[in-house]
Amino acid sequence: MKRNKVAIAAAAALACCASGLVAPTESASASSAIFTSIDETHPITLGAPMNPYNTKGNSFDSYDQMELGYNQYNGAHPDAMFPALAATWKTVRGGLDVYLQAKADWSDGEPVTSSDVKTSVANSFIVGTQASNLAGVTVLGPKEIRFNEEPGTHNSLFAAQVLETIIVPNSEYGALLPSDIWSVISASEGKGGAAQKAKATLTKLAPTVEDYAPKTDISAGPFYIARLNAGEALLVKNKYFFDASKISPEEVVLRNYTGNEEIWNYMEAGQLDFAPYTSMPSNVLHDVLRAGNKELVAPSFVAVALAFDEARYPYGIAAVRKALAYLLNRPAITKVGEPVSGAPAKWQTGLIDSVSAQWLPSSELSKFNRYNYDPAKATSLLKAVGFTERSGQWHMPNGKAWKITLATPSGFSDWDAAAVYMSHELSAFGIPTSVSTAPDYATYLTNIANGDYATAFWLNALGPAVYNAYARVWGNNVTSKGNELTTKGSFLHTPATFKTDGYGTVALNTLTEGLEDKTTAQARPVVAKLAAAYNQELPMITIWDYVLVEFVTDKHFTDWPSSPGLLNNPPGLWMWNGYVHAK
Amino acid sequence: MAVTVIEPGLGATGTRRPRPPGHWQAARRALLREPRRVVGAAIVVIFVVLAVVGPFLYPRHLAANANSIYAPPSLVHPLGTDFEGTDVLSLMVTGARYVLVSGAVAGAIAVVLGALVGLLAGYLAGAVDWSLSRITDFALTIPQYPLLVVLAAVVRFTSPVLIGVLLGVTSWPGLARAVRSQAFSLRERPYIEASRSLGLSTRHVIVREMLPNIAPYVAMNLLVSMIGAIYAETGLFFLGILPTSNVNNWGAMLNQAVFSAGAIGSPQAISYLLSPLVAILLLTLGIVFVLDAVDEFFNPRLRG
Amino acid sequence: MSPDSPPSVKVTTGSGKARWARLGRRLGARVLTGVVMVLAVATLTFFLVHSMPGNPIQTEYQTLIARGVSPSLAAQQVAGMYGFVSSKPLIDQYGQYMWHLLQFNLGKSITASGEPVVHLVLSAAPWTIIPVLSGLIVSFLLGVSLGAVAAVRRTNRLGKVLSVSGSLFHGVPQFVWAVMLAYLFTTLLPIFPFGSPYNILDTPGWNGPFILSLVYSAILPVLAYALSSYGGWLLTMRSSVVTVLGDDFVLAAELRGLRPLTQLRYVARNAFLPLFTTLLLSVGFMFGGSIFIEEVFDYPGLGYQLVNAVNARDYPLMSGDFLFITVAVIAANILADFLYTFIDPRVRKAA
């Protein structure tokens, strides 16, 4: 009867485990010097390397991953940056001179030097993330390095893009690079066969860099990774960090997540000192606030719009798009879809409202059509272009019954709720509307690229640079086919030029593409034209602007920042800028 | 599959004659012997009635109201409201059809395929049996839920019937195996051997002689397959593997309650979470009680 | 497990050596069938997975945009995926996939920038295997013992209550168990953690707090597995015991005046046999259920990984997870078949 003994032993083991559980250990979370949070751009992937070049790599921005500088998310000055590993910088003829923090050291005690930066820039060429127009670097001293801009080019965001370079230690990554790497890089910048060959060589090197798995985490940030499991990462303070005295938490615990509801649950249990932005319904907000969390609010540089494929009948008719804008009750839709972190879009300019206010004078803005909810106006617009209503059903000028299908991807609960609500409103008006949900975001994007949708939800008004916002409407990377992100062609099928009241004919695509190289002052008149064209042509109806709503608890830490620039960046940055102190 | 295949009564099948008289009376007696079985049958009947008439009780487009989102239960909304202020009770009632239709389609397909494959394999034996059994083995090896997850991303499942077909074609092998072993034992019975030696066609023997013998067993498994399919379907909607928007299904409601309303942690939306959960549990309860009667009918020793 | 295997176990004669040889041949044949099945499943998944619409790089990029990441940062993040999306013709990819498979190489993950899939799958596997097996053992022991009681006491109240509980537990789907447990024990009575396989603050190793936190974090998933399969064991054991109770040898034992406990042992041993194979066969069902249970508790095992891989269109990872789960099922089948020959008394008597 051996079997029975095994069974009894197993039962006994289970019983003793169970009895040990009666008193759960609370002591672990008692220490107040532990900062618990979630990195929303980087959930934890067990088995992935601690490598920032790996898409799922366990490397957490502003904690153990550092850049030379961080974007200030200033709508009026898109090139304003926070210093990080770069203490200062200066635009010089032919490039940018960067001076590293004198006291910047790696967590193994070695100094952060120009050779680390050089290796990091080489890596960025290999994985294809180098700043546009960057030609190479020249080491000027142990803590001083020049980023060379390609002769004869000008990129208004050159400094910003250069400073966003992630810096990794030469001691780990230097050995991965072949000795002739810089000659390959400069060869790749030319034209012709040699350049193609050099590019191929770089591409071949990419997996080596992306897959590299350092044994320990060597960080130039305020923390380094001590250990990871599939659900959490433990980071401890890097005593060699250049501003270590300002870093209050001794340890940081970052949690994994896959869905918003996980973050809500953690917040409702009062387990997060800082929670990143998540979309949430108002009942959850209520519970989250009751659990002792408080909101930090800043603008978020993204909005959602209902976009049209103008090649599809009847959406090429401007009056139809405008009529729909009058039919969509944006405040009510926002209440259903994004009650907490959404603000109904006020001006249809292709920019989020706060950026519109920065770029366009109020005298100008007051002239813009707001398309506030007005079914009567919609009726007259539709009738004027030949639509008719018979027994509660609208018919198109070609005589067919008008039906709308709103496309959304599954898993975007806010869009989904909004689309369902919109479908009910439009159906009630006499346009039978249904929602078509792609099984997931991947399929949705493929369908968009294939031109399967006449009306689809689309993120727009990206920022802070206005170029990003208009590129989403008239740029050449609105959608893509294949594996690359930058293929030309847009599912919107917008016209290349548009006759705009007050500005004459506006070359939409050309002006948009030109924005990238313009300074703020140069861009201002262009933005005025594009905004007016957007408002009149109405290629998409902006429904709501996202609002960055983050949550913090005062349980263990106090002194939270309030400036939009800091709030749009991760909390590690807040710490060395003098915020977040243990109670 | 929480419910796979009910094994035939281990001792009872050996002595049964074809079409014993009073078959249906015995079934009725088994049902009436315990009050809970009657309750179970009543629950199942109520759900079937809901599936048939439910959608006619409400307008085609259920009203939404942005000003009463996740309202608690009240006289106007006995089960509260959902994310856009639609009455949850009306969603429950109109959603029963989707759930039961795909369950019925899946059950029917699984049972027809399973019985056909099982009977052919068991009766014809030899090479046919060998190849059918290998196919069955292969199909049994593939774990159903992971397969469904992958399939649902490949095929666009838009209608309850289509989902039923998907679930049906992935859940027949268990029944095929059980029917096969029954067919094996039936094959040796004198009256089947007699029909065979008389030179009657395979079709005749299978349809006229063997099928009636296993019909009650197959009928019982129809119920089992249906409930299995209902679980799988609501489960896939719950996971969000099948797209949930604009779909009136309890699984989709559960998905929205858990993942969009955060109902697991949010007391305000609790009636939204509990309504589909209770509906699924009630239906389970009903079918389990009915099956209890069916089980006794096939395995009389259980009565004790 | 093919249906005709139990009868063919009648290896009742012959010397020990011959019996081992037979067993060896039998095992060899089973393993060979298993390998063929794995290859067939691999083929099926390969083509299934590659007929999915969607592009992993676009998905990741737009997902980052949707999370509020700036376009330049998002492009920077997804750049790490470029090298890993194959552009070769499908049939070449298939050939390469199968060739690598024979070397236990499942390819490289796309979303994790070329991290070997084997590595990712093996990282996740323990977090499914251990809770699944624990849940299986708990429910088996509980279900089988209570099933025996339910059978012996089937006429009185206890027996009835037990068998009704069995039917009910058996009927409730796994995801419903998971949601109910999550609601009860993480919200209503928040005594169990979720989202992590152990508390990161406890140093991993053979120390009390770590093991405790490991067990503590696994309680809810294990409970969900156990509750969803307990009823099945109870019902099967009950019906098996009832059948055996009517057999002649039980009557004989009764007539010989053996003590009730001895009688129960006789009965239990015989009734237990058919359950044993089902035990291993149900591993497949349990693994499948991990999709739901891990998703609800955010427990990072294979099911969780599979659902995420499907949503991110990480084809190699998806196939890897699916294949691993299938292999586990096939291995359990072979093990069941093999062990059956050991514990079947007809075989034992001969030895």
Side-chain angles (χ1 to χ4, degrees):
Chain A
M1 287 270 104
K2 235 181 188 164
R3 222 165 37 231
N4 283 3
K5 271 187 203 140
V6 174
I8 289 164
L14 277 166
C16 89
C17 290
S19 64
L21 292 163
V22 180
T25 43
E26 265 295 311
S27 57
S29 62
S31 171
S32 64
I34 300 173
F35 183 82
T36 309
S37 185
I38 280 175
D39 184 344
E40 83 273 30
T41 58
H42 246 108
I44 293 158
T45 308
L46 195 63
M50 295 182 286
N51 173 341
Y53 301 112
N54 191 301
T55 308
K56 294 274 178 224
N58 293 305
S59 171
F60 306 100
D61 196 13
S62 87
Y63 296 104
D64 74 322
Q65 171 191 321
M66 283 289 274
E67 295 162 16
L68 291 170
Y70 284 83
N71 202 309
Q72 291 196 2
Y73 293 92
N74 183 333
H77 300 282
D79 53 349
M81 301 292 283
F82 287 111
L85 284 177
T88 54
W89 54 89
K90 165 171 103 201
T91 303
V92 294
R93 235 184 117 78
L96 183 81
D97 280 0
V98 171
Y99 304 89
L100 300 178
Q101 299 275 2
K103 285 199 294 172
D105 288 335
W106 296 102
S107 52
D108 60 359
E110 296 297 316
V112 177
T113 64
S114 308
S115 62
D116 293 320
V117 177
K118 195 172 177 185
T119 300
S120 306
V121 173
N123 283 346
S124 74
F125 274 100
I126 289 172
V127 301
T129 59
Q130 77 278 15
S132 7
N133 307 348
L134 177 62
V137 290
T138 316
V139 173
L140 304 174
K143 293 268 184 187
E144 201 183 329
I145 192 162
R146 173 168 300 168
F147 287 80
N148 304 313
E149 193 166 5
E150 274 169 24
T153 62
H154 179 70
N155 168 4
S156 63
L157 296 175
F158 184 71
Q161 289 179 0
V162 158
L163 290 169
E164 277 185 345
T165 308
I166 298 166
I167 304 303
V168 294
N170 181 46
S171 59
E172 288 280 350
Y173 289 85
L176 304 177
L177 305 175
S179 52
D180 63 341
I181 182 70
W182 283 102
S183 54
V184 176
I185 288 173
S186 49
S188 74
E189 285 159 359
K191 290 214 161 74
Q196 288 302 322
K197 217 179 123 205
K199 272 185 190 144
T201 313
L202 289 180
T203 311
K204 252 193 211 145
L205 278 170
T208 326
V209 173
E210 288 154 1
D211 271 357
Y212 176 66
K215 294 223 162 35
T216 54
D217 188 33
I218 298 180
S219 153
F223 301 93
Y224 64 90
I225 299 173
R227 59 175 173 269
L228 294 157
N229 70 31
E232 290 168 301
L234 175 68
L235 294 91
V236 299
K237 191 167 164 179
N238 170 13
K239 62 179 177 188
Y240 297 107
F241 179 63
F242 61 82
D243 251 347
S245 61
K246 287 193 184 156
I247 308 297
S248 172
E250 287 300 318
E251 293 179 331
V252 169
V253 170
L254 295 176
R255 294 207 153 148
N256 183 34
Y257 84 104
T258 44
N260 288 341
E261 90 287 353
E262 265 170 84
I263 303 182
W264 306 338
N265 290 346
Y266 286 134
M267 279 194 269
E268 283 158 1
Q271 292 175 353
L272 297 181
D273 293 307
F274 163 79
Y277 161 78
T278 47
S279 158
M280 62 171 66
S282 41
N283 62 313
V284 172
L285 175 70
H286 175 86
D287 298 326
V288 161
L289 293 177
R290 206 185 42 188
N293 300 279
K294 61 176 195 183
E295 289 175 272
L296 299 179
V297 181
S300 170
F301 296 91
V302 58
V304 65
L306 183 68
F308 303 101
D309 182 347
E310 294 186 22
R312 281 174 176 251
Y313 188 75
Y315 305 100
I317 307 169
V320 170
R321 302 194 295 274
K322 290 181 181 171
L324 285 172
Y326 284 115
L327 285 173
L328 296 176
N329 186 351
R330 299 195 299 274
I333 297 166
T334 308
K335 212 166 180 177
V336 171
E338 202 71 59
V340 177
S341 42
K346 250 189 290 182
W347 303 300
Q348 298 289 336
T349 60
L351 302 169
I352 61 165
D353 289 332
S354 62
V355 174
S356 298
Q358 279 172 325
W359 283 82
L360 305 162
S362 53
S363 58
E364 192 77 25
L365 272 175
S366 63
K367 284 188 248 162
F368 278 52
N369 188 343
R370 293 209 187 182
Y371 299 100
N372 286 335
Y373 182 60
D374 189 350
K377 198 108 177 225
T379 306
S380 64
L381 270 174
L382 288 174
K383 288 203 166 140
V385 288
F387 281 67
T388 49
E389 192 200 357
R390 290 197 297 273
S391 56
Q393 160 76 57
W394 280 89
H395 292 264
M396 298 188 281
N398 66 4
K400 285 189 186 141
W402 187 14
K403 287 183 181 138
I404 294 179
T405 305
L406 302 171
T408 63
S410 175
F412 282 47
S413 55
D414 49 349
W415 293 9
D416 218 58
V420 172
Y421 185 79
M422 280 155 69
S423 74
H424 290 151
E425 298 288 271
L426 291 174
S427 300
F429 179 74
I431 312 166
T433 304
S434 60
V435 179
S436 152
T437 312
D440 48 51
Y441 202 32
T443 312
Y444 183 72
L445 295 167
T446 307
N447 292 348
I448 282 187
N450 291 342
D452 292 349
Y453 300 138
T455 48
F457 277 64
W458 185 243
L459 289 168
N460 71 342
L462 305 183
V466 283
Y467 166 70
N468 290 330
Y470 287 113
R472 223 36 203 179
V473 185
W474 294 303
N476 60 16
N477 63 353
V478 169
T479 51
S480 64
K481 286 186 182 185
N483 292 333
E484 299 293 320
L485 289 169
T486 48
T487 320
K488 297 211 176 206
S490 157
F491 79 102
L492 300 163
H493 295 109
T494 46
T497 57
F498 180 73
K499 242 177 125 178
T500 312
D501 288 346
Y503 294 97
T505 303
V506 175
L508 303 169
N509 301 101
T510 328
L511 284 181
T512 301
E513 284 310 317
L515 268 181
E516 199 178 11
D517 296 338
K518 292 203 163 44
T519 62
T520 307
Q522 291 167 330
R524 225 166 250 284
V526 180
V527 169
K529 279 188 197 172
L530 290 174
Y534 182 100
N535 187 266
Q536 292 169 31
E537 208 264 349
L538 208 65
M540 51 185 77
I541 304 164
T542 310
I543 310 283
W544 66 71
D545 291 353
Y546 280 94
V547 179
L548 182 72
V549 180
E550 297 169 318
F551 291 88
V552 292
T553 49
D554 284 335
K555 238 190 270 177
H556 308 124
F557 295 92
T558 52
D559 301 334
W560 305 101
S562 56
S563 80
L566 283 174
L567 290 178
N568 270 290
N569 274 300
L573 188 83
W574 310 353
M575 294 177 191
W576 80 79
N577 279 284
Y579 294 92
V580 190
H581 295 110
K583 261 180 142 171
Chain B
M1 206 81 313
V3 182
T4 42
V5 168
I6 287 207
E7 291 298 329
L10 292 168
T13 35
T15 50
R16 206 184 308 129
R17 307 282 310 154
R19 290 179 195 261
H23 218 94
W24 297 109
Q25 270 132 319
R28 216 187 67 199
R29 258 205 308 280
L31 188 69
L32 293 177
R33 248 169 57 83
E34 304 246 5
R36 66 163 190 267
R37 295 174 184 169
V38 181
V39 173
I43 292 175
V44 173
V45 168
I46 289 173
F47 274 111
V48 171
V49 169
L50 274 188
V52 175
V53 304
F56 300 117
L57 299 178
Y58 292 92
R60 219 166 78 82
H61 293 289
L62 296 174
N65 178 0
N67 292 318
S68 96
I69 293 167
Y70 301 128
S74 63
L75 279 178
V76 193
H77 304 296
L79 298 177
T81 60
D82 76 347
F83 67 94
E84 53 166 352
T86 303
D87 181 49
V88 170
L89 179 66
S90 66
L91 288 170
M92 295 303 305
V93 171
T94 52
R97 178 180 288 182
Y98 197 120
V99 173
L100 292 189
V101 162
S102 44
V105 170
I109 290 177
V111 160
V112 168
L113 278 178
L116 194 71
V117 171
L119 282 172
L120 281 176
Y123 177 69
L124 294 176
V128 176
D129 174 41
W130 189 88
S131 34
L132 285 178
S133 293
R134 291 296 82 76
I135 294 172
T136 311
D137 282 356
F138 179 70
L140 264 179
T141 302
I142 302 178
Q144 196 195 7
Y145 285 143
L147 178 67
L148 287 174
V149 166
V150 175
L151 269 178
V154 177
V155 191
R156 236 179 106 75
F157 293 102
T158 42
S159 78
V161 174
L162 209 59
I163 291 170
V165 171
L166 166 77
L167 294 170
V169 296
T170 54
S171 60
W172 58 269
L175 181 65
R177 181 180 279 188
V179 167
R180 173 182 171 275
S181 62
Q182 288 213 352
F184 252 134
S185 73
L186 280 176
R187 201 167 166 264
E188 311 300 324
R189 303 282 167 80
Y191 63 92
I192 301 279
E193 288 200 332
S195 329
R196 225 177 355 173
S197 52
L198 281 175
L200 293 174
S201 72
T202 305
R203 198 173 129 199
H204 178 90
V205 177
I206 286 186
V207 175
R208 287 294 171 85
E209 307 285 346
M210 293 176 84
L211 192 59
N213 234 296
I214 61 157
Y217 173 68
V218 169
M220 176 171 83
N221 271 293
L222 175 67
L223 210 54
V224 176
S225 302
M226 267 180 70
I227 188 83
I230 287 174
Y231 292 164
E233 170 208 351
T234 45
L236 288 176
F237 273 116
F238 166 67
L239 269 190
I241 294 288
L242 294 172
T244 55
S245 79
N246 242 22
V247 168
N248 198 349
N249 179 296
W250 302 336
M253 289 177 71
L254 208 52
N255 171 283
Q256 271 152 0
V258 170
F259 298 108
S260 306
I264 285 189
S266 170
Q268 206 189 327
I270 193 65
S271 66
Y272 188 32
L273 173 71
L274 288 182
S275 302
L277 215 54
V278 168
I280 294 171
L281 286 177
L282 262 183
L283 185 60
T284 306
L285 193 79
I287 294 193
V288 160
F289 285 161
V290 172
L291 276 175
D292 183 40
V294 180
D295 198 25
E296 176 187 300
F297 171 70
F298 283 102
N299 200 356
R301 277 198 216 176
L302 284 174
R303 209 181 297 153
Chain C
M1 189 76 219
S2 75
D4 50 338
S5 44
S8 68
V9 183
K10 288 173 194 153
V11 194
T12 46
T13 50
S15 70
K17 220 178 201 172
R19 194 177 141 243
W20 280 112
R22 254 193 297 269
L23 273 179
R25 269 202 303 279
R26 192 180 156 74
L27 183 67
R30 300 291 308 167
V31 169
L32 199 70
T33 323
V35 169
V36 172
M37 274 190 182
V38 169
L39 294 180
V41 171
T43 305
L44 178 80
T45 19
F46 179 87
F47 287 104
L48 207 56
V49 152
H50 281 82
S51 51
M52 281 186 183
N55 169 328
I57 294 177
Q58 263 295 333
T59 309
E60 183 73 20
Y61 175 78
Q62 301 284 358
T63 305
L64 288 169
I65 297 281
R67 282 180 185 158
V69 178
S70 75
S72 57
L73 271 181
Q76 200 164 322
Q77 283 222 27
V78 299
M81 294 162 66
Y82 284 140
F84 304 102
V85 181
S86 184
S87 50
K88 284 189 204 155
L90 198 59
I91 194 72
D92 291 358
Q93 288 186 46
Y94 171 69
Q96 196 188 25
Y97 179 75
M98 295 305 274
W99 174 240
H100 283 161
L101 184 65
L102 294 176
Q103 305 160 38
F104 298 103
N105 174 353
L106 292 173
K108 292 178 164 199
S109 156
I110 296 171
T111 54
S113 306
E115 196 59 28
V117 167
V118 171
H119 186 186
L120 293 173
V121 170
L122 290 182
S123 302
W127 306 112
T128 298
I129 294 174
I130 295 170
V132 159
L133 290 185
S134 316
L136 198 61
I137 291 168
V138 171
S139 67
F140 186 75
L141 294 177
L142 211 65
V144 162
S145 30
L146 292 179
V149 174
V152 176
R153 295 279 152 87
R154 64 190 180 282
T155 44
N156 70 18
R157 206 169 173 77
L158 177 68
K160 288 225 169 93
V161 168
L162 278 176
S163 58
V164 170
S165 87
S167 314
L168 285 182
F169 278 54
H170 186 45
V172 177
Q174 278 170 321
F175 69 91
V176 174
W177 277 120
V179 171
M180 288 196 297
L181 287 173
Y183 180 65
L184 286 178
F185 296 115
T186 65
T187 299
L188 219 53
L189 199 67
I191 51 173
F192 288 112
F194 52 93
S196 178
Y198 58 86
N199 188 332
I200 192 74
L201 297 176
D202 295 316
T203 324
W206 285 105
N207 60 65
F210 172 70
I211 292 169
L212 200 67
S213 123
L214 210 59
V215 173
Y216 186 47
S217 308
I219 290 265
L220 285 183
V222 168
L223 206 57
Y225 287 117
L227 288 174
S228 62
S229 57
Y230 146 85
W233 297 124
L234 189 146
L235 293 181
T236 322
M237 184 65 180
R238 175 171 173 269
S239 115
S240 183
V241 168
V242 167
T243 312
V244 173
L245 277 179
D247 281 352
D248 295 344
F249 76 93
V250 179
L251 215 61
E254 232 169 279
L255 290 174
R256 272 162 62 201
L258 291 181
R259 278 178 303 139
L261 201 70
T262 321
Q263 278 184 41
L264 186 66
R265 244 177 53 198
Y266 273 36
V267 171
R269 190 196 291 173
N270 280 279
F272 184 73
L273 251 177
L275 264 80
F276 182 74
T277 44
T278 326
L279 173 68
L280 286 163
L281 291 180
S282 63
V283 167
F285 158 62
M286 301 282 268
F287 265 104
S290 70
I291 286 177
F292 296 112
I293 289 172
E294 289 171 6
E295 194 67 18
V296 172
F297 298 115
D298 308 322
Y299 200 76
L302 289 170
Y304 186 80
Q305 195 174 57
L306 175 63
V307 173
N308 288 338
V310 169
N311 286 332
R313 290 294 184 275
D314 193 336
Y315 310 117
L317 186 56
M318 225 186 291
S319 323
D321 283 324
F322 190 78
L323 206 62
F324 188 91
I325 295 175
T326 313
V327 169
V329 176
I330 293 175
N333 284 3
I334 295 174
L335 194 67
D337 188 38
F338 193 63
L339 287 181
Y340 198 92
T341 60
F342 273 100
I343 63 159
D344 190 311
R346 282 169 297 186
V347 184
R348 266 219 316 246
K349 256 177 253 157

